[in-house]
Amino acid sequence: MIVFVVNCGSSSIKYQLFDMTDESVLARGLLERVGQSGSVLHHRSNETTHEIEVDAPNHTVGLKIILDTLVDPKIGVLKNIEEIEGVGHRVVHGGEQIRESTLIDENVIKVIKDNASLAPLHNPPNLAGIEAAMSALSNVPQVAVFDTAFLATLPPRAYRYAVPRQWYEKYRVRRYGFHGTSHRYVTLRAAEILGKSVEEVNLITAHLGNGCSMTAVAGGKAIDHSMGLTPLEGLVMGTRSGDIDPAVIFYMARTAGMSLDEIDTTLNKKSGLLGLSGVSNDMRDCVEAAKKGNTDAALAMEVFSYRVAKYIGAYFAILPGCDAIIMTGGIGENSLPIRLRICQLLSNIGVIPDEKRNEEAIRKVGLITADDSKIPVWIIPTNEELMIARDTRDVVKQMAVK
Ligand code: AMP
């Protein structure tokens, strides 16, 4: 079965084409600057990357360009677009209504629209991608895979905030969580690696990329998560602050005269590693600057690692046991000093890092702790696109059975 995976941002379309007989990637790419001048398609197939200047005034035209490229006689990989048997869409927010990957129908589209106010930067472009794919591939089943779905199992004590009940009932103010597809993928992989069924695995999964989040997983199900109503809560991120005292917002409005929009932009786009270091939102740049003696960059690394360790400690306390800590995402898969530092900060709960193993596990599965570490720490590269492709295949197969 050939499955086409689409991830639409406000000005971009990321895609991968899978042959699900062996889960191989036939083509992948990124169309940038959708709706702007100078759109560029980066298309990779047959181990070659092609950069093509195109005119993509909107997602519908952009998707048509990508589909035409997939059947292009020179750089394409399909003879006919009808070879595609399922389209999987990454959708950020399914709210409380959607708990698993779902065939897209009018009701699912309504849910995506209803939750747009909770994910204004993501749900509208996700929907634009769905509508574009539905018109270009009208006979092909379209499946929505929601970032929030894996976190739908959080119990009320984890997802409710201690604010007036009406805020939840009327305005749906609660913890939803994000990166669920990544946390689910590494949970399934971890169960395989640990030789357990997913129903019996207890884990702490840390997705550490430009955005960072952590999930406590008990018996294969999410029971707590660090992101909240929005992806701003929790860990320190590239440009997001993560946890702060909410009173900082009123204080900065009243004392520094900042508007709500300015504070929103500052906490989402100018804080985190960038805000602390003054150097960059990229961990690589912070590590390099710290090596050269930049103390702000060194502090950014330390605050980042400390916050991760603190959350791990909290999740360790609430889980019924912890078979492993899993790190993934750009920083989790690559950054040796950060991984080492986090393990060092967890010595009180018996984590013992192994520096040699840490150096070996780069962008691949690997254990980075010593054999006598009380909790093993594993690196597991995430693969959200494959997870979306698998779900799409499964939903399409279930349709055939019905
Ligand atoms: P992601 O959002 O998962 O793509 O992760 C992006 C972040 O991963 C970047 O901002 C970097 O901070 C970090 N990263 C990527 N590659 C490396 C690397 N080789 N060493 C350290 N950090 C890295």
Side-chain angles (χ1 to χ4, degrees):
M1 182 190 289
I2 304 287
V3 171
F4 183 48
V5 172
V6 188
N7 179 356
C8 279
S10 56
S11 63
S12 68
I13 306 177
K14 265 199 235 166
Y15 60 94
Q16 283 195 28
L17 188 72
F18 287 88
D19 180 347
M20 293 309 286
T21 46
D22 59 357
E23 298 191 335
S24 58
V25 177
L26 301 175
R28 70 176 80 212
L30 168 68
L31 176 58
E32 285 182 310
R33 301 181 63 84
V34 176
Q36 302 166 4
S37 60
S39 311
V40 183
L41 177 65
H42 307 263
H43 174 80
R44 187 165 174 81
S45 56
N46 302 318
E47 289 170 26
T48 313
T49 302
H50 307 270
E51 305 226 335
I52 310 160
E53 283 180 30
V54 296
D55 188 14
N58 55 48
H59 287 85
T60 304
V61 177
L63 200 78
K64 172 93 175 54
I65 291 168
I66 293 167
L67 293 172
D68 287 346
T69 309
L70 293 175
V71 292
D72 182 273
K74 286 201 189 106
I75 62 170
V77 287
L78 298 177
K79 286 206 181 70
N80 193 318
I81 212 65
E82 267 128 46
E83 288 174 55
I84 295 176
E85 288 179 72
V87 183
H89 295 268
R90 179 199 180 201
V91 186
V92 165
H93 219 307
E96 291 190 316
Q97 299 97 315
I98 294 193
R99 305 174 73 87
E100 59 188 13
S101 300
T102 317
L103 185 72
I104 299 174
D105 58 14
E106 275 174 25
N107 181 44
V108 175
I109 289 180
K110 183 171 179 310
V111 169
I112 298 170
K113 282 185 183 160
D114 285 350
N115 286 296
S117 61
L118 293 169
L121 300 179
H122 293 101
N123 273 25
N126 296 160
L127 190 59
I130 289 170
E131 283 167 349
M134 285 179 122
S135 87
L137 298 164
S138 55
N139 295 324
V140 182
Q142 314 272 331
V143 175
V145 179
F146 290 86
D147 265 23
T148 46
F150 183 59
L151 307 160
T153 51
L154 259 53
R157 67 181 184 187
Y159 73 66
R160 286 290 293 274
Y161 294 117
V163 293
R165 202 180 67 223
Q166 292 79 0
W167 287 21
Y168 170 62
E169 288 169 354
K170 185 157 182 211
Y171 299 102
R172 297 180 292 156
V173 172
R174 53 159 281 182
R175 177 185 312 288
Y176 293 96
F178 301 89
H179 290 150
T181 308
S182 174
H183 289 283
R184 181 157 62 101
Y185 177 82
V186 298
T187 295
L188 294 170
R189 277 296 279 135
E192 269 172 30
I193 291 162
L194 299 170
K196 290 191 157 199
S197 73
V198 74
E199 292 78 19
E200 58 182 6
V201 83
N202 298 316
L203 302 167
I204 299 171
T205 58
H207 180 109
L208 308 176
N210 199 28
C212 299
S213 64
M214 199 181 295
T215 307
V217 178
K221 292 198 160 52
I223 61 160
D224 208 344
H225 179 80
S226 62
M227 284 177 164
L229 175 76
T230 76
L232 185 57
E233 191 179 345
L235 305 175
V236 175
M237 313 186 206
T239 59
R240 292 182 213 135
S241 62
D243 294 341
I244 56 165
D245 177 351
V248 168
I249 296 166
F250 326 126
Y251 179 81
M252 290 308 286
R254 292 179 188 134
T255 315
M258 289 176 79
S259 70
L260 277 182
D261 282 345
E262 282 169 334
I263 299 172
D264 185 340
T265 305
T266 306
L267 293 177
N268 275 294
K269 304 226 163 103
K270 300 179 185 170
S271 297
L273 292 176
L274 176 63
L276 277 164
S277 70
V279 173
S280 168
N281 64 313
D282 192 302
M283 187 58 92
R284 284 167 288 204
D285 299 334
C286 292
V287 171
E288 281 314 306
K291 272 191 201 151
K292 290 185 187 135
N294 184 320
T295 51
D296 291 331
L299 182 67
M301 290 168 61
E302 186 65 8
V303 175
F304 180 96
S305 308
Y306 176 77
R307 182 84 53 89
V308 172
K310 197 161 85 166
Y311 263 87
I312 289 174
Y315 288 177
F316 184 68
I318 55 139
L319 278 167
C322 183
D323 299 312
I325 296 165
I326 311 298
M327 293 190 199
T328 193
I331 296 171
E333 292 168 30
N334 295 288
S335 186
L336 306 185
I338 295 299
R339 296 183 335 196
L340 182 62
R341 185 67 188 135
I342 294 168
C343 289
Q344 288 167 344
L345 289 166
L346 294 170
S347 64
N348 283 351
I349 57 169
V351 171
I352 307 171
D354 180 316
E355 290 199 36
K356 189 157 173 295
R357 285 178 175 170
N358 189 33
E359 280 160 24
E360 281 163 8
I362 297 187
R363 260 168 276 123
K364 61 178 184 191
V365 170
L367 177 70
I368 62 164
T369 42
D371 291 335
D372 55 347
S373 179
K374 196 168 157 204
I375 312 167
V377 179
W378 284 87
I379 305 307
I380 301 183
T382 195
N383 195 339
E384 290 159 280
E385 291 78 12
L386 178 58
M387 195 79 255
I388 295 171
R390 285 180 182 164
D391 280 8
T392 304
R393 174 201 57 199
D394 294 347
V395 170
V396 172
K397 276 192 175 166
Q398 276 167 20
M399 281 173 59
V401 172
K402 282 177 193 162

